[in-house]
Amino acid sequence: MPTCGETAGEVEPTASAINITDELAVQATVTGSRAEFGANDFLVHAADLLGAVPDLLTTPTAEFARVMAINATGAFSVLREVGLIMQAQRCSSIGAVASVAAN
């Protein structure tokens, strides 16, 4: 079995834009990626909210919940689903960014 270093130059990166607050969409995307490529060796997870950075003192609770659903719960779902696959592999790497100011 080749090592990550041996295969890293052979892989064309792909991107998936999904609603990470939808756990079934996350599962389907990860399953589809594994079916297409045979493994999930690398993940770059970048959640982004477009718009102004909210002010703590004036942000409604519903808006805070939306931000947390994306930046915390959504990130958790993505990392968990890919992590379950990566755990069984010899090597893997994850990079994650989640921010309301990432745009």
Side-chain angles (χ1 to χ4, degrees):
M1 174 179 248
T3 66
C4 285
E6 293 168 339
T7 60
E10 301 170 12
V11 176
E12 282 294 319
T14 62
S16 298
I18 61 170
N19 177 355
I20 63 172
T21 65
D22 180 345
E23 195 169 350
L24 294 177
V26 170
Q27 291 169 351
T29 300
V30 172
T31 300
S33 174
R34 180 147 190 215
E36 183 176 351
F37 299 107
N40 291 102
D41 294 328
F42 306 99
L43 168 68
V44 176
H45 166 71
D48 185 19
L49 295 170
L50 299 176
V53 176
D55 175 353
L56 172 69
L57 300 179
T58 60
T59 300
T61 302
E63 177 61 13
F64 175 77
R66 184 179 80 86
V67 169
M68 294 305 292
I70 294 168
N71 286 351
T73 307
F76 167 80
S77 294
V78 170
L79 298 174
R80 179 189 57 207
E81 291 303 316
V82 174
L84 289 169
I85 293 169
M86 289 181 166
Q87 183 178 32
Q89 297 174 178
R90 289 181 59 184
C91 61
S92 55
S93 296
I94 295 176
V97 178
S99 174
V100 293
N103 54 13

